[in-house]
Amino acid sequence: MLDLYTHTTPNGYKVAIALEELGLPYEAHTVNIREGAQFDPAIVAMNPNAKIPILHDRETGTTVYESSAILLYLADKAGRLFPAKDEATAYWDGIQKLTFAAASIGPMFGQRMHFSYLAPETVPYGIARYEAEGARLHGVLDAMLDGRDWLLDWGYSVVDIAVFGWVMLADRIGAVDGAAHPNLRAWIDRMVARPAVRKGLTVPDRVDPSRLPPHKLAADG
Ligand SMILES: N[C@@H](CCC(=O)N[C@@H](CS)C(=O)NCC(=O)O)C(=O)O
């Protein structure tokens, strides 16, 4: 049995989707980060960075934080959704793109959400910078998906799940331009067609973008 500590956020949904895809038994525990529950000493004892998601494996006693590390842990446990190390080309393609998801997609898309929706003040430079970087990254993903269904030639993997966590939120706020990035649009539709993806997006609850504050524009500053 696995324990998932999570909330209604892109990084949390990634892990719920992977658990659903792999059919591993788990219990989801809501950590309400909007009320500061991530600073509870019990959470900080599992993740010194005080953030969700966190996974605990009752079978092995292992606790893992950082969504990319958790996705690799789950793929390794199930022996699915990531290339084996002896498939060196595919394995390293997976590692580099999972790192790209963690280091480039997550931080930049996260800052875009912050400056364009959540910041208590309108900061035109921050809005313009992260909306431009987000759109540029949509183009990078579109190019990666040119001629292939999934981000790895190897096939559907936790890399798709890692990237989808943030892209699905970008899509829900209308940031994805399907005419400019048709490969990305088609990949989003392929992801959403998977029952496990749709199920994972309900754990712990479904995010409702209509409850976000209004979209701030750089010109508003
Ligand atoms: N790099 C981390 C990022 C984790 C993260 O930023 N989690 C957010 C929710 S998506 C969080 O817990 N935020 C609470 C806070 O910043 O206080 C990962 O991929 O797991």
Side-chain angles (χ1 to χ4, degrees):
M1 177 62 73
L2 296 147
D3 293 293
L4 169 61
Y5 297 86
T6 190
H7 202 205
T8 52
T9 73
N11 290 313
Y13 288 128
K14 294 175 192 177
V15 181
I17 290 170
L19 286 161
E20 293 294 336
E21 288 282 10
L22 295 167
L24 295 169
Y26 71 100
E27 278 179 25
H29 309 276
T30 299
V31 179
N32 191 331
I33 61 171
R34 288 163 205 116
E35 292 176 357
Q38 68 274 35
F39 302 110
D40 185 300
I43 297 297
V44 179
M46 291 190 285
N47 179 357
N49 197 27
K51 294 187 192 296
I52 63 93
I54 304 168
L55 185 86
H56 177 72
D57 186 341
R58 293 186 206 172
E59 190 188 355
T60 61
T62 307
T63 301
V64 189
Y65 56 85
E66 284 292 329
S67 58
S68 286
I70 296 171
L71 293 174
L72 271 181
Y73 181 88
L74 293 174
D76 185 66
K77 185 176 177 73
R80 287 174 49 211
L81 295 187
F82 201 75
K85 200 166 181 189
D86 57 7
E87 300 174 73
T89 303
Y91 175 82
W92 285 108
D93 192 29
I95 293 289
Q96 72 184 353
K97 287 183 179 146
L98 203 51
T99 305
F100 164 74
S104 294
I105 298 289
M108 296 301 144
F109 281 40
Q111 292 301 324
R112 175 170 61 183
M113 284 305 296
H114 180 79
F115 281 105
S116 294
Y117 288 90
L118 306 173
E121 57 188 276
T122 299
V123 184
Y125 177 79
I127 295 168
R129 173 177 165 81
Y130 292 108
E131 294 220 346
E133 179 63 0
R136 189 191 70 80
L137 285 164
H138 293 173
V140 172
L141 291 168
D142 192 71
M144 284 180 178
L145 288 160
D146 192 22
R148 55 182 65 81
D149 281 354
W150 308 112
L151 285 161
L152 304 188
D153 282 331
W154 179 82
Y156 180 65
S157 73
V158 292
V159 176
D160 295 290
I161 297 171
V163 171
F164 181 73
W166 282 103
V167 170
M168 72 81 194
L169 187 55
D171 191 36
R172 285 189 182 175
I173 60 173
V176 175
D177 178 348
H181 300 129
N183 302 317
L184 181 59
R185 175 74 264 153
W187 172 83
I188 294 168
D189 294 343
R190 274 193 293 281
M191 289 296 292
V192 172
R194 298 182 72 90
V197 170
R198 292 200 301 278
K199 179 76 196 313
L201 290 174
T202 67
V203 179
D205 292 305
R206 201 169 177 81
V207 76
D208 177 2
S210 69
R211 290 171 57 203
L212 285 170
H215 187 186
K216 296 183 207 296
L217 302 174
D220 293 341

